[in-house]
Amino acid sequence: MLRLAWRQSASKNSRVEPARILTAAFLSADSQHQHSGGNVRWFRQVPHPPSDKSPLLHHPQPAYYLSSSVFMSMASGGEGPSSSPQRHTNRLAKERSPYLLQHAHNPVDWYPWGQEAFDKAKNEDKPIFLSVGYSTCHWCHVMERESFEDEEIGKILSDNFVCIKLDREERPDVDKVYMTFVQATSGGGGWPMSVWLTPELRPFIGGTYFPPRDHARRPGLKTVLTRIMEQWQNNRPALESSGERILEALKKGTAVAANPGESPPLAPDVANRCFQQLAHSYEEEYGGFRDAPKFPTPVNLMFLMSYWSVNRSTSEGVEALQMALHTLRMMALGGIHDHVAQGFHRYSTDSSWHVPHFEKMLYDQAQLAVAYITASQVSGEQLFADVAKDILLYVTRDLSDKSGGFYSAEDADSVPASGGPEKREGAFCVWTATEVRELLPDVVEGATGSATQADIFMHHYGVKVQGNVAPEQDPHGELQGQNVLIVRYSVELTAAHFGISVEKVNELLASARGKMAEVRKSRPRPHLDTKMLGSWNGLMLSAYARVGAVLGDKALLERAAQAGNFLKEHLWDAEQQTILRSCYRGDEMEVQQISPPISGFLDDYAFIICGLLDLYEATLQTEWLQWAEELQLRQDELFLDDQGGGYFSSDPSDNTVLLQLKEDQDGAEPSGNSVSASNLLRLSHYTGRQEWLQRSQQLLAAFTDRLTRVPIALPEMVRTLMAQHYTLKQIVICGQRDAPDTASLLATINSLFLPHKVLMLTDGDADSFLCQRLPVLSSMSQQDGVATAYVCQDFTCSLPVTDPQELRRLLLDGTTETQAE
C-alpha cells in the first residue's frame, strides 16, 4: 500500500518557509514485480525547491524534475503530434486554444478546466487527472504521442479519472497553484505537468513528464495510474489528508505581506546586493548568468543598465554595463539569434549561445527588443539598434494578426524539407553545407583563391561540411550534418581573410541571407500558436512604442498604436469593465472569443498599463494615458491586497483557485507586482494621485524579505525601488505635438537612457487631461513661441530650455539654474 512520506524541510533555500511540506510518494517501477503480500516499495519526493536564481518555473523547458525515483534525463529533440487520420474526437474539439485542439483527437475523454469537469468528478466520486502544458512545448508533444494517443492508456484514464487538459498560457493562475505544489513536493517543475486531484481540486500526487511504460526502474504512466487507482480505493483518507496538509503548508509558506507601517528596504543596499549576486553568477566568456542551458533573462540586463545609470563613476557601475552589453552582443552573434529570419529562440543548450531550443516566444521578442534598444541608447552602437529593429521585423512579419494583435509563439519542431512524417527540432532553421554551396555558387570578383559567395558565408557563419553541432548538443541525432548559423568572425576579419572590402562582405552576407530566407519560405513551417494574450500583447506594445520612439520610426509607432487599438477592441469588455485574458484567430482569419471569455489576470492589467504608459510617452496622445489610469483603478478593485500590500495574481473571489499567490520572481517575464510597482509610481506623477505612490511603497515593503535576501529573484522590482529612491524627473514639453521644434526636443530625450523619468506634453489647453490632474502645468508656457522643456524633480523645476543640446546637458548632469514651482 502507498506509504505517505511526511517530511519537514529545514532548507534555507525553500520558498515555502517554515516548510512543513508533506510529500506524496511515488512508486518505483520495480514495485509491480513484488508479490502482492509484500511491502510495495515507494520512493518519496524530497522537497527541495530550486534556488532563487533558478529559472525553472519561469522558463518552460523539458521536464527534468520528478522525484528521484522517476527522474528522466531528457534533451530537446523528437517529433510533434501524429498526423495520421483521426479515429477519435473529444470535447476539446470545441475549444479555441491551440494546445487543447492538439489533444482533440486523443482516445482520452478530455474536459477543459471548468464546472462540467468538477461536477463529473464529484458526481462519480473520481479523482481528477490534470495535465498542463502549452502548444509549443516539445515534451508536451512527446507525452501526447507516447501516452495520450495510446489506446490502452487512454481507456485507463477515461474509465477511472476525470481528465482535464489545461493550457497554462490561458490559465496561468491554475498552472501556478499546481506547479507550486509539484515544485514543493518534487524539488523541481516543468511542462508537461501531471497532477492528480481530489474532486475538491486538492492535489495529492504530482509530477511532470512520464514515459508511457516502466523503463529502467522508473515507473511509466500506466503503472502510476494503476497504483493511484488502488490507493484511491484502499487508502483514500491518507491521500486526501496529504492534499489538505500540503495546501495548508503552502498557504502559509507562500504568503507575502508588509507589516503595518513597514517601509521598503534601502534601495542602494538592495541594488548593490542584486548586482553582486548577478556578478557572482555571470559567465565572463560569452556573457549570461549560468553555464548551460542559458536563457536571455532581459530583466537581468535591464537591471544592470539601470544600475549603471546611477553608478556611472564606480567600478561596479562600469562592470554592470559591461556585463549587460557583452551578453547582448554575444547573443546577437550566436545561434540563439535567427540570422536568416530574425527574432530570438527560447534559450541556448550550450554556454556559447550556439545551439538553441528553437521555439520562439512573443514575450522574449518583446523584452529583448527593449533591452537592445536600451543598449543602443547607452552605448551608441548601431549593432544594438539594428537587432532591435530586426526583432520587430520578425514580429511584424510572422507573429502579427491583421487585427493588430500579436500571436504567442512559433514551435521548435517541424517536418524536414526532405520530407517524412516525423517532425524534428530545428528543421526549419538549420542548413547543410551542400545546401549553402548550391544556393551561393557565384565566384566573388577579387576574392582570394577564387572564393565563392558560399565560401565567404560558410567562413563567417561557421558552416562545416560535417555540420557544426556537437554530438552532446544533439543526443537524438536530429541535427547530424546540419549547421546552426553563428557569427564566428567580425566583418573586418572576414574581409581581410578573403582580401575584399568590408562593404563588399556586408553586401554579400546580406544577399546570402536574403536568398536563404526565400528558401525557408518553401520549407514546412513550424506550428504557429495564434492565441493572442493580453499580457504578452502588453509587453509587445511597450517594445514597439519604445523602439519607435528611440529611432523616431513612424511606422513602428503606428504599429504600436494599432496594437493599443486591438487591445481596446478585442481584449477589453467595456460593459463589464474587464480586461480579457485571450482571444483567438478563427478559421476565416477573424478574431474569435470563447464563451464565456477568460477574465484577465494581474499580469494582463499590469503589462497592458505599462504598454499604454510607454505608448503615451512615445506618441504623447493622452487617450492612452487616460485608459491606463482607468485600468489601474480597475486593477486595484480586482487584485489589491488592502491589508498586506501588493497584488494577488488572480481574482481572490475565484474559489476554484486554491492558493492566492503573489508572484515573487521576475523570470522569463517580469512579475505582475514588479511591473505594478513601476506603473503606480509613474501614474502617481501623471495623475497627482498620492495614494498610488503610497501603494507602490507598500507593495515594495511587502516584498522586503525577498528584496533583502535574494534581490536577484526580483531585478525588475529592484529597478522600481531605485526609481523611488532617486525620484523621478518630470520632463514637461510645452509645445504643439507635431511641430518640428517639439520633435527636436523629443528626439533629444528619446536618444538618452533615462530610467527615472516621466515625459509629458502640454499644449496650453487648461482643460486637457493632464492639466486637470496637474494644475501646475498651466503655469508652464513656451518661451518666445518656441517649444520649451522644463525638467522638474522634488517639486523644483529647471529654468525653461529651448535648445536641444542644452536640454541634453541638463538631462545628463542636471546642472542648470532652477526655480521653485
Side-chain angles (χ1 to χ4, degrees):
M1 104 182 180
L2 170 61
R3 297 199 306 270
L4 294 172
W6 314 121
R7 181 180 176 91
Q8 178 173 344
S9 169
S11 168
K12 292 182 180 178
N13 291 325
S14 174
R15 291 172 59 194
V16 183
E17 298 180 304
R20 288 196 173 118
I21 303 173
L22 314 176
T23 66
F26 276 73
L27 65 162
S28 91
D30 63 351
S31 64
Q32 63 181 323
H33 304 302
Q34 300 185 33
H35 61 85
S36 58
N39 290 326
V40 177
R41 190 169 164 221
W42 292 81
F43 284 66
R44 67 189 172 193
Q45 295 181 288
V46 179
H48 182 63
S51 75
D52 293 295
K53 297 177 187 177
S54 170
L56 283 173
L57 282 187
H58 298 269
H59 297 290
Q61 57 179 310
Y64 297 99
Y65 295 89
L66 302 173
S67 70
S68 57
S69 63
V70 292
F71 180 90
M72 288 290 290
S73 178
M74 293 170 277
S76 292
E79 301 79 39
S82 168
S83 57
S84 58
Q86 310 302 345
R87 295 180 55 207
H88 304 275
T89 299
N90 57 53
R91 60 181 58 75
L92 296 185
K94 299 177 182 177
E95 296 298 310
R96 295 308 312 164
S97 156
Y99 176 64
L100 299 190
L101 289 171
Q102 287 172 350
H103 295 261
H105 300 290
N106 297 160
V108 178
D109 188 20
W110 289 117
Y111 285 77
W113 179 267
Q115 199 59 47
E116 184 184 5
F118 308 155
D119 290 344
K120 179 180 171 69
K122 289 179 180 175
N123 293 337
E124 299 182 12
D125 200 30
K126 287 181 177 177
I128 291 170
F129 170 59
L130 175 64
S131 176
V132 182
Y134 57 105
S135 82
T136 58
C137 161
H138 173 74
W139 284 97
C140 301
H141 302 334
V142 173
M143 192 164 176
E144 186 213 5
R145 186 185 69 249
E146 292 178 341
S147 295
F148 301 143
E149 291 183 357
D150 184 291
E151 298 279 349
E152 182 185 15
I153 290 176
K155 181 170 174 52
I156 294 172
L157 281 167
S158 301
D159 290 349
N160 299 281
F161 301 88
V162 174
C163 302
I164 297 178
K165 178 59 73 172
L166 184 109
D167 183 338
R168 67 173 296 266
E169 293 169 355
E170 280 191 324
R171 292 300 303 262
D173 56 335
V174 177
D175 171 69
K176 181 65 177 175
V177 167
Y178 295 109
M179 185 59 76
T180 300
F181 166 81
V182 169
Q183 189 191 20
T185 57
S186 71
W191 295 272
M193 175 169 63
S194 307
V195 193
W196 286 265
L197 323 176
T198 68
E200 294 73 37
L201 308 181
R202 268 65 176 164
F204 57 88
I205 283 180
T208 49
Y209 165 87
F210 289 93
R213 287 170 177 81
D214 303 347
H215 175 71
R217 294 174 59 85
R218 296 163 183 158
L221 182 61
K222 180 183 174 184
T223 299
V224 172
L225 293 173
T226 302
R227 296 306 179 197
I228 290 174
M229 287 154 48
E230 291 175 1
Q231 294 307 311
W232 187 253
Q233 294 299 320
N234 303 326
N235 200 29
R236 181 170 171 177
L239 289 179
E240 293 180 324
S241 173
S242 78
E244 289 293 339
R245 294 173 67 182
I246 292 170
L247 271 177
E248 285 307 309
L250 291 175
K251 284 178 183 177
K252 294 176 183 176
T254 57
V256 174
N259 296 318
E262 187 175 6
S263 297
L266 286 173
D269 294 347
V270 171
N272 289 336
R273 185 168 176 79
C274 189
F275 164 71
Q276 294 296 342
Q277 290 178 344
L278 282 171
H280 181 72
S281 64
Y282 179 67
E283 196 273 292
E284 290 190 355
E285 186 172 6
Y286 294 102
F289 300 97
R290 56 192 291 176
D291 289 329
K294 268 187 181 172
F295 294 87
T297 54
V299 289
N300 289 347
L301 304 175
M302 292 302 295
F303 163 77
L304 289 170
M305 289 186 280
S306 294
Y307 182 81
W308 164 81
S309 73
V310 294
N311 294 281
R312 299 182 191 210
S313 61
T314 69
S315 60
E316 291 83 1
V318 172
E319 184 182 354
L321 181 60
Q322 183 273 334
M323 288 162 59
L325 297 183
H326 183 59
T327 299
L328 287 165
R329 195 175 289 112
M330 290 296 102
M331 285 170 48
L333 301 177
I336 191 174
H337 183 201
D338 186 340
H339 296 282
V340 170
Q342 300 83 43
F344 279 81
H345 301 295
R346 178 75 276 270
Y347 62 87
S348 174
T349 62
D350 56 75
S351 64
S352 60
W353 304 108
H354 180 203
V355 182
H357 173 48
F358 288 88
E359 170 187 20
K360 287 180 177 177
M361 305 300 297
L362 183 66
Y363 57 76
D364 282 325
Q365 315 310 320
Q367 295 175 88
L368 284 169
V370 172
Y372 274 100
I373 203 63
T374 302
S376 80
Q377 289 176 302
V378 165
S379 69
E381 283 189 43
Q382 187 62 37
L383 166 71
F384 296 127
D386 289 344
V387 174
K389 284 191 288 187
D390 270 1
I391 293 170
L392 298 189
L393 174 62
Y394 161 69
V395 174
T396 299
R397 186 189 64 234
D398 292 345
L399 295 183
S400 285
D401 188 80
K402 65 180 183 180
S403 65
F406 301 104
Y407 302 140
S408 294
E410 272 196 309
D411 206 344
D413 302 351
S414 61
V415 177
S418 57
E422 296 183 343
K423 293 184 177 182
R424 295 190 171 205
E425 168 138 24
F428 186 66
C429 301
V430 295
W431 304 86
T432 65
T434 301
E435 287 176 311
V436 176
R437 289 206 176 278
E438 289 177 352
L439 186 63
L440 308 171
D442 297 342
V443 174
V444 176
E445 186 179 347
T448 303
S450 300
T452 64
Q453 189 178 10
D455 291 325
I456 294 170
F457 186 90
M458 291 168 68
H459 175 83
H460 190 75
Y461 285 107
V463 176
K464 298 179 180 178
V465 173
Q466 71 273 26
N468 69 2
V469 178
E472 58 267 26
Q473 303 308 130
D474 183 29
H476 298 282
E478 293 177 303
L479 300 176
Q480 195 169 357
Q482 302 286 345
N483 290 272
V484 177
L485 303 183
I486 179 172
V487 177
R488 290 300 192 193
Y489 301 97
S490 68
V491 178
E492 290 78 10
L493 282 174
T494 297
H497 183 80
F498 290 98
I500 54 179
S501 69
V502 168
E503 292 74 21
K504 183 68 172 175
V505 170
N506 278 323
E507 178 188 324
L508 288 169
L509 294 178
S511 169
R513 291 193 301 266
K515 293 175 183 177
M516 297 171 88
E518 287 301 312
V519 171
R520 277 244 200 124
K521 291 179 182 177
S522 67
R523 293 178 174 179
R525 290 197 69 92
H527 160 72
L528 178 66
D529 187 326
T530 55
K531 176 173 72 267
M532 291 170 270
L533 298 173
S535 59
W536 297 0
N537 272 257
L539 290 173
M540 207 69 236
L541 172 58
S542 284
Y544 274 88
R546 294 179 67 170
V547 176
V550 174
L551 298 179
D553 189 317
K554 289 185 177 179
L556 295 180
L557 294 178
E558 287 171 5
R559 183 66 185 89
Q562 188 186 10
N565 288 322
F566 160 81
L567 288 166
K568 200 156 197 177
E569 182 178 351
H570 295 290
L571 289 177
W572 172 243
D573 183 337
E575 187 176 326
Q576 299 295 322
Q577 291 287 290
T578 302
I579 286 286
L580 303 178
R581 171 64 178 172
S582 55
C583 59
Y584 308 85
R585 188 180 78 181
D587 296 334
E588 305 297 323
M589 304 298 285
E590 79 281 19
V591 177
Q592 290 189 340
Q593 188 51 266
I594 55 175
S595 182
I598 302 169
S599 296
F601 304 104
L602 173 64
D603 286 3
D604 299 302
Y605 284 82
F607 295 0
I608 290 173
I609 291 167
C610 180
L612 293 172
L613 294 177
D614 289 336
L615 183 55
Y616 168 72
E617 292 204 347
T619 65
L620 298 169
Q621 293 175 311
T622 53
E623 63 180 290
W624 306 119
L625 192 55
Q626 199 163 345
W627 193 30
E629 182 188 45
E630 292 173 21
L631 291 185
Q632 187 62 59
L633 289 167
R634 189 68 177 126
Q635 176 184 313
D636 290 354
E637 290 175 15
L638 291 171
F639 306 108
L640 182 66
D641 179 0
D642 270 325
Q643 302 302 313
Y647 295 92
F648 295 111
S649 297
S650 58
D651 186 347
S653 66
D654 185 348
N655 58 14
T656 65
V657 181
L658 304 183
L659 294 176
Q660 286 306 319
L661 299 169
K662 296 177 187 174
E663 182 59 67
D664 63 352
Q665 185 165 348
D666 298 321
E669 306 159 52
S671 79
N673 273 294
S674 294
V675 176
S676 293
S678 174
N679 292 344
L680 289 166
L681 179 61
R682 293 169 76 183
L683 279 165
S684 71
H685 285 266
Y686 280 122
T687 65
R689 291 177 181 268
Q690 288 304 298
E691 68 270 22
W692 276 344
L693 174 60
Q694 293 159 7
R695 205 159 278 167
S696 180
Q697 292 170 338
Q698 188 184 19
L699 187 160
L700 295 170
F703 288 87
T704 292
D705 180 63
R706 193 88 161 141
L707 288 168
T708 304
R709 289 191 305 112
V710 279
I712 193 175
L714 286 166
E716 186 68 20
M717 192 175 286
V718 179
R719 292 181 70 214
T720 301
L721 187 67
M722 293 164 65
Q724 287 211 358
H725 175 80
Y726 293 105
T727 68
L728 296 189
K729 290 179 179 177
Q730 302 98 10
I731 305 173
V732 183
I733 305 295
C734 299
Q736 298 305 306
R737 190 161 58 88
D738 297 321
D741 52 357
T742 301
S744 295
L745 294 176
L746 292 174
T748 296
I749 297 163
N750 289 326
S751 71
L752 302 172
F753 176 48
L754 303 168
H756 308 143
K757 69 106 169 56
V758 290
L759 171 65
M760 56 189 84
L761 177 94
T762 176
D763 58 7
D765 179 6
D767 295 325
S768 68
F769 174 85
L770 278 170
C771 285
Q772 288 293 307
R773 281 154 181 75
L774 302 171
V776 68
L777 295 181
S778 299
S779 66
M780 299 181 186
S781 60
Q782 296 186 26
Q783 300 295 300
D784 301 321
V786 178
T788 304
Y790 296 81
V791 180
C792 309
Q793 194 167 4
D794 290 332
F795 304 104
T796 301
C797 292
S798 68
L799 292 172
V801 174
T802 58
D803 177 60
Q805 287 305 313
E806 193 176 345
L807 175 60
R808 178 184 177 86
R809 286 194 297 273
L810 174 61
L811 292 172
L812 284 176
D813 57 27
T815 56
T816 187
E817 297 179 71
T818 60
Q819 62 181 23
E821 284 186 5

